[in-house]
Amino acid sequence: MKKKQLSALIALAFVSIGGGHNAAYAAHDENLNSYTLDDVVVSAERTKDQFGDTITEQSYYRTGGDVKVITREEIEKRHYVDLTEAIKRIPGITFQNPGYRGGEYGYQFYNNGVSINGDTRVIILIDGRRVDNLTSTRVGGNSKTGTKSTGVNLDQLIGMESVDKIEVIKGPGASVYGPDATGGVINIITRKGGEQQKGTLDLSTGAWHKHNYALTLSGSALPDHSLRYFFTTTRSMSGDTKFVDGVVGGTGTLGGSEYKEDALNIRLDKKLSDKQNLKLWYNFKQGKDGYPISVPSLKYWNEADWDRIIFKAAVGDLNSNNVLQDMTNSQGKWVPKRGDTDVPGYRNLFALDGQVYRSFSKFKDNDWELMWTFNKENGMESFLRLYSQNHRYSNRDYFRWRRDGKSAKDLADEYRAAFPSGATNEQLTQWIHEHLAPFPGGDQARVKEWLEATGGTAKEPTSWQEERNRGIQVQYAKSLGKNDIIASITYDRAKNYSKKLEDDGSVVSSHVGRNSILGYVQDKIHVSDKFDITPALRYSYYSSYESNTAGDKVQGKGSSRTVTPALNLQYTFDYSTDLYFGWTRIYRPLRQGDYTSTDGVFNTPLDDERGDAWTLGIRKEFSEHTSAAVHYDWTRMNNAIATLPIWNGTKFTSTAVNAKEDKKSFNITVDHKLNKYVTMSASYSHMLDKWMAKNGWILDPSWGYQNSTDINTQINRLRPQNHYALNISYEKGRLYTGLLANWYTGASTNAFTSSRFLILDWNLNYELQKDMTVYLVVNNLTNKAYETSYSSYLGLGGAAMPGRSWMIGARYNF
């Protein structure tokens, strides 16, 4: 049925529109008609080098590799509103998303995460500069469970109107960015002003009270046009979103998922000479996002099930006669059961947090960069860069299950005193309505009364995290005959502040800090016009984690240094067939919490993650209309961190260890220009991960679906193994339309509501006049139920993604 669905929609995209002209020839990247590179507008026939790689401001770092570039033209034609929307079309890219914007600091599952070919060790850059913070605990304070990512939420970084290009590099093709980029690199290249004065105004509105506003101004100053400026300000907002329940079907509302986000970006570029220029860049972004935690389960979204769920979670278990059972644990505490396994439908209680109390999360970014380029040679830059990042995160998760601040034990005692021999169903219902929170989807007068009696909606946070980076980078590049040599060194001071507002108005603050020095040298050797070899060495130094909190266990821990090599090569056979190979030694330092991880069988501290990554690929242009690319990626870790079930002599015990990991992925992409109006790109991605115990350990032979928070060890279950994508566009005269189909298969039904799902996104542009374009964007065209992440605590479908939504808008150039 899904194949018929896809075929019908592709046919619709063709027959509903007329014919035209598209100047772009078949390429690995869409919409390469023209784009700006430095001060030069690059035409379609000059977008590639002799190896078939798209040229960008950062491409001199690369030698081969599977690289995709999303241009400004594509961003505007497809109307991507955030980075996730843009990047998800690329083969091998997957996102772990809770189904709403925002997220809670410190918890991996409640944040947006990205992986490349099944690896969350992905580096995020802006204009070639890393934007992660070594002391960040946004997705957790250790590596033993959860993501191995650098803790950056793409959608909170920068507004889309500020983005000129997005460069996605899979594997170790650009080793300059660090020995921990085993999955790859996402490099966001910012917009700069041109010689002509230009402006744009983009306004759109749509489903769920969504509204987007964007204004850009760019141009040049001074008589010689040597000072360029770019300015943009945007606002994006939405009410509560809809979702489709993958268990029972039907569409529900995700209460508390509203958001409002603002962005401001300023970039000034002063040309000092042909080889020198000065860049000043400032970025501000802030948002207040709802915090619904989870979508409700429609199967249990009714008054009777609500009463059952909240009594069991807030008071305790009842037997068949409604007699309260003993919930005392081994420590003598009264502990009711929690989570979907013990309390089916448990996640419905989170509707109190989001829908009733309107819990929320907030973030605010203030970043700047000053960069002096003092020489340019053969496409390379020598520069001095100073930068500062200030990121603030806070949230207010407020709710009340019980009246008057009573504990579960208090209510248990009251219930037992009132009904020592059990209660009738009518008596139980009456007792619940008098003592526990009402069903959010029921009598709204009761809900309002409960809300007012328990303190009203969530107030401003009284505690927050602040991540700060200050750094300097120096790079020197020189061409010597056939050798293009680049050397750089970066010094970064990272701090993470925990702050709390006291009752007297004072702020109590503590922080953890870590400094790093990253050195790099590469020699791109042009052996011939057809053959490049690039050996490289990286030096990484990480200081001890230092805390200003007395008695902190990590005080003075964590100092490490290492040198890691890398080798990349690229060869073109006949200027239509290109082969590349890359190898890099992996080194990923421990995070703060890992230095005290001595739990489980071995009771010893963890070691830094180490291993090797290889990538191999071939690209072939069969004609000016058809090309294909095959990419194979293999990561072999001998010291990866994971929590695994290991035999302790008596039983299998979950233990945080340095284990062996063998991860493989495969991508194939075919680009074809059907005629002068229609272009398409079809791709397939497959990934497989295997974890093994080291010599002398015994790993549970029946180990299957467990430890669900460890995304990396569960790649074969927490991500669909196969990803098929079809990206098709049609352009004629004033009309442009595009359809993106993502089909995922091989998903475990232990974690997903379906083993496969097809997601369609469609857009239509029409140029009313020279400077005015109107457009329509529809996401999740068929209103499909799907998820990209799973937590056993929330149950199947707990992270359902948004259902069908639409936006209609206009873009005016002036």
Side-chain angles (χ1 to χ4, degrees):
M1 186 176 80
K2 294 176 178 62
K3 290 181 179 179
K4 292 180 180 178
Q5 226 176 21
L6 177 58
S7 301
L9 283 161
I10 293 172
L12 177 64
F14 287 146
V15 301
S16 63
I17 46 187
H21 178 67
N22 185 348
Y25 59 91
H28 300 295
D29 298 313
E30 184 185 346
N31 289 312
L32 284 175
N33 297 326
S34 65
Y35 60 85
T36 302
L37 181 63
D38 199 6
D39 291 328
V40 180
V41 175
V42 182
S43 57
E45 63 272 13
R46 296 174 55 239
T47 61
K48 303 281 185 174
D49 63 15
Q50 74 269 31
F51 299 107
D53 296 318
T54 300
I55 301 170
T56 72
E57 290 86 343
Q58 301 288 317
S59 58
Y60 55 79
Y61 286 121
R62 296 188 258 113
T63 301
D66 187 1
V67 182
K68 289 285 185 179
V69 177
I70 300 171
T71 64
R72 183 68 213 170
E73 183 179 0
E74 177 181 348
I75 291 170
E76 293 185 2
K77 286 183 174 179
R78 296 282 181 146
H79 304 286
Y80 301 131
V81 296
D82 54 47
L83 291 163
T84 297
E85 267 194 17
I87 295 170
K88 72 179 183 180
R89 77 164 184 82
I90 297 176
I93 300 288
T94 55
F95 286 90
Q96 294 79 51
N97 194 299
Y100 55 88
R101 296 181 80 90
E104 181 175 354
Y105 192 91
Y107 294 89
Q108 176 268 326
F109 185 76
Y110 303 129
N111 284 278
N112 189 30
V114 61
S115 66
I116 297 179
N117 285 334
D119 200 324
T120 59
R121 304 173 184 96
V122 176
I123 301 303
I124 312 298
L125 314 167
I126 293 181
D127 290 334
R129 174 179 59 82
R130 291 182 64 141
V131 295
D132 54 309
N133 183 297
L134 281 173
T135 59
S136 173
T137 54
R138 190 183 68 83
V139 292
N142 58 52
S143 309
K144 65 180 182 179
T145 59
T147 181
K148 304 293 191 287
S149 76
T150 51
V152 176
N153 187 331
L154 276 169
D155 296 333
Q156 293 180 349
L157 277 181
I158 190 172
M160 281 301 290
E161 286 296 327
S162 307
V163 177
D164 186 59
K165 288 179 282 290
I166 307 169
E167 187 178 40
V168 180
I169 307 167
K170 302 176 189 176
S175 53
V176 60
Y177 300 121
D180 52 340
T182 58
V185 173
I186 297 173
N187 186 22
I188 303 157
I189 299 172
T190 61
R191 297 175 72 179
K192 65 183 295 186
E195 188 171 303
Q196 302 299 317
Q197 315 297 319
K198 293 181 179 179
T200 63
L201 180 63
D202 196 322
L203 305 175
S204 61
T205 187
W208 312 329
H209 304 288
K210 280 188 176 182
H211 307 290
N212 292 321
Y213 315 103
L215 171 69
T216 68
L217 299 170
S218 67
S220 62
L222 303 179
D224 59 355
H225 302 292
S226 61
L227 179 62
R228 308 291 178 88
Y229 62 86
F230 178 83
F231 166 87
T232 181
T233 180
T234 61
R235 167 166 287 185
S236 179
M237 56 198 300
S238 173
D240 291 343
T241 64
K242 302 282 187 179
F243 71 96
V244 183
D245 191 297
V247 176
V248 299
T251 299
T253 298
L254 181 54
S257 56
E258 77 278 5
Y259 64 85
K260 184 169 73 173
E261 298 181 355
D262 299 311
L264 170 70
N265 187 263
I266 300 172
R267 176 170 168 172
L268 301 175
D269 291 89
K270 178 66 172 75
K271 185 175 182 180
L272 304 175
S273 68
D274 289 341
K275 292 188 176 184
Q276 296 191 45
N277 63 274
L278 196 65
K279 166 192 167 186
L280 176 62
W281 176 80
Y282 172 72
N283 179 63
F284 170 83
K285 189 168 185 183
Q286 70 174 6
K288 181 178 180 180
D289 306 309
Y291 183 39
I293 302 180
S294 173
V295 301
S297 170
L298 297 188
K299 180 179 180 180
Y300 303 110
W301 191 246
N302 58 73
E303 190 98 38
D305 275 309
W306 175 270
D307 290 348
R308 169 187 60 83
I309 295 166
I310 197 168
F311 188 93
K312 192 167 187 176
V315 183
D317 287 351
L318 296 170
N319 67 13
S320 59
N321 295 319
N322 291 332
V323 174
L324 185 60
Q325 304 298 289
D326 186 5
M327 306 300 295
T328 305
N329 65 12
S330 58
Q331 286 78 41
K333 295 182 179 180
W334 186 272
V335 182
K337 294 179 180 177
R338 305 283 172 85
D340 185 78
T341 301
D342 293 326
V343 189
Y346 174 79
R347 68 174 186 260
N348 285 3
L349 296 181
F350 294 128
L352 285 171
D353 306 53
Q355 181 174 327
V356 177
Y357 290 96
R358 312 308 287 188
S359 297
F360 60 89
S361 64
K362 299 177 73 173
F363 71 93
K364 181 185 290 187
D365 297 348
N366 274 290
D367 307 326
W368 62 262
E369 175 184 302
L370 180 63
M371 180 173 170
W372 171 43
T373 301
F374 55 83
N375 192 39
K376 298 179 182 180
E377 188 171 349
N378 201 24
M380 304 179 295
E381 293 182 333
S382 298
F383 61 80
L384 170 66
R385 170 156 48 194
L386 305 174
Y387 62 88
S388 172
Q389 291 186 168
N390 299 271
H391 297 172
R392 173 170 170 163
Y393 304 94
S394 60
N395 69 277
R396 187 73 168 189
D397 181 17
Y398 180 72
F399 63 95
R400 288 293 182 268
W401 287 355
R402 301 173 284 260
R403 284 188 188 273
D404 306 322
K406 293 182 178 179
S407 68
K409 184 63 166 60
D410 293 335
L411 286 185
D413 290 341
E414 289 186 21
Y415 183 86
R416 283 177 156 179
F419 308 109
S421 301
T424 66
N425 290 336
E426 292 77 12
Q427 289 173 324
L428 174 62
T429 299
Q430 182 64 29
W431 191 92
I432 290 173
H433 288 182
E434 291 175 355
H435 294 83
L436 301 177
F439 174 46
D443 185 345
Q444 293 306 297
R446 284 186 59 217
V447 173
K448 184 178 180 181
E449 184 277 329
W450 176 270
L451 177 65
E452 292 174 350
T454 54
T457 56
K459 307 301 189 295
E460 280 298 302
T462 56
S463 61
W464 61 92
Q465 300 289 135
E466 291 183 9
E467 296 179 1
R468 298 182 186 177
N469 286 78
R470 304 287 188 275
I472 181 171
Q473 181 182 10
V474 181
Q475 175 173 295
Y476 182 75
K478 183 71 176 176
S479 284
L480 299 172
K482 294 186 175 182
N483 302 75
D484 285 342
I485 301 171
I486 300 175
S488 71
I489 187 166
T490 303
Y491 173 67
D492 182 272
R493 295 174 60 90
K495 288 187 176 181
N496 187 352
Y497 291 82
S498 297
K499 297 191 175 183
K500 183 178 180 181
L501 181 66
E502 298 291 346
D503 294 337
D504 62 1
S506 62
V507 175
V508 177
S509 176
S510 63
H511 72 264
V512 172
R514 195 180 205 189
N515 303 331
S516 64
I517 299 175
L518 302 176
Y520 177 78
V521 61
Q522 77 168 33
D523 182 8
K524 183 175 286 190
I525 307 168
H526 304 292
V527 179
S528 69
D529 291 341
K530 296 185 176 183
F531 189 26
D532 279 358
I533 299 178
T534 307
L537 284 176
R538 294 170 302 222
Y539 170 76
S540 304
Y541 166 75
Y542 301 94
S543 74
S544 301
Y545 279 102
E546 300 294 343
S547 172
N548 68 336
T549 304
D552 196 307
K553 292 182 179 179
V554 299
Q555 185 77 29
K557 299 288 185 179
S559 176
S560 65
R561 68 192 71 202
T562 190
V563 175
T564 52
L567 177 67
N568 291 279
L569 57 87
Q570 191 165 19
Y571 182 79
T572 181
F573 291 93
D574 53 9
Y575 300 105
S576 67
T577 305
D578 168 46
L579 177 72
Y580 60 84
F581 168 80
W583 163 77
T584 187
R585 180 65 50 80
I586 299 168
Y587 173 75
R588 183 177 180 275
L590 292 173
R591 298 173 68 177
Q592 177 188 347
D594 298 323
Y595 291 98
T596 56
S597 294
T598 57
D599 60 325
V601 176
F602 303 106
N603 202 38
T604 56
L606 298 171
D607 293 324
D608 297 326
E609 289 191 305
R610 297 178 184 270
D612 297 272
W614 294 267
T615 185
L616 177 66
I618 187 169
R619 294 185 292 239
K620 172 69 177 178
E621 275 201 18
F622 297 95
S623 69
E624 64 176 348
H625 301 295
T626 307
S627 60
V630 177
H631 175 83
Y632 179 77
D633 190 66
W634 182 25
T635 300
R636 193 170 180 85
M637 302 288 292
N638 54 30
N639 227 28
I641 298 175
T643 298
L644 301 173
I646 297 174
W647 185 253
N648 67 1
T650 305
K651 62 180 180 179
F652 289 103
T653 302
S654 292
T655 302
V657 293
N658 289 105
K660 296 179 180 179
E661 178 190 10
D662 195 339
K663 181 185 72 67
K664 299 171 183 177
S665 63
F666 172 78
N667 304 150
I668 182 169
T669 304
V670 177
D671 297 282
H672 181 62
K673 186 175 177 65
L674 279 73
N675 53 50
K676 62 181 180 179
Y677 312 125
V678 182
T679 59
M680 60 157 284
S681 176
S683 64
Y684 166 72
S685 301
H686 176 78
M687 54 197 79
L688 185 66
D689 205 355
K690 183 179 180 182
W691 288 79
M692 300 157 285
K694 290 191 172 183
N695 294 336
W697 304 355
I698 302 176
L699 189 65
D700 188 349
S702 64
W703 179 51
Y705 190 80
Q706 53 184 307
N707 190 26
S708 65
T709 60
D710 196 333
I711 297 294
N712 288 272
T713 61
Q714 297 294 330
I715 177 180
N716 305 325
R717 299 171 177 84
L718 291 181
R719 298 184 186 92
Q721 291 191 35
N722 305 300
H723 177 197
Y724 304 84
L726 177 65
N727 192 18
I728 192 163
S729 62
Y730 175 97
E731 186 170 13
K732 178 187 177 182
R734 298 182 175 185
L735 189 64
Y736 173 89
T737 186
L739 178 71
L740 173 63
N742 284 296
W743 188 29
Y744 300 91
T745 68
S748 169
T749 52
N750 288 324
F752 296 92
T753 55
S754 176
S755 62
R756 58 187 66 193
F757 43 88
L758 173 65
I759 309 302
L760 302 171
D761 299 315
W762 176 67
N763 75 284
L764 179 69
N765 295 352
Y766 186 75
E767 187 179 346
L768 288 178
Q769 56 188 43
K770 180 181 179 182
D771 295 317
M772 173 72 77
T773 300
V774 294
Y775 58 87
L776 171 67
V777 178
V778 183
N779 290 321
N780 196 358
L781 188 63
T782 58
N783 205 31
K784 178 69 176 176
Y786 73 107
E787 313 85 36
T788 64
S789 59
Y790 169 78
S791 165
S792 59
Y793 189 71
L794 301 179
L796 277 178
M801 296 296 288
R804 178 173 51 238
S805 66
W806 58 270
M807 292 289 291
I808 186 169
R811 188 176 184 90
Y812 175 64
N813 300 316
F814 58 90

